[in-house]
Amino acid sequence: MVNSDDYAGKKLRIDDSCAHCSDPITIEVENGRLTRIDPPTTYVQRGGG
């Protein structure tokens, strides 16, 4: 999603929660680059298909 041409040049914010403990997770992406990951220990898998 974050590398899709549909979002090129846009800033995205993804709010989710941990599947194990329900703690909140925030990820921000701008121009295909991660600009914010909270908490910083969050594992973000990038890929495509």
Side-chain angles (χ1 to χ4, degrees):
M1 177 179 122
V2 297
N3 290 326
S4 169
D5 289 340
D6 294 338
Y7 299 101
K10 296 182 180 177
K11 188 174 187 177
L12 302 173
R13 179 180 168 133
I14 301 168
D15 291 305
D16 206 342
S17 61
C18 175
H20 301 283
C21 65
S22 299
D23 285 350
I25 296 171
T26 300
I27 299 169
E28 291 182 358
V29 179
E30 189 168 0
N31 296 321
R33 296 187 182 269
L34 295 170
T35 58
R36 178 180 174 206
I37 301 172
D38 187 41
T41 56
T42 301
Y43 175 78
V44 178
Q45 182 175 352
R46 295 179 64 161

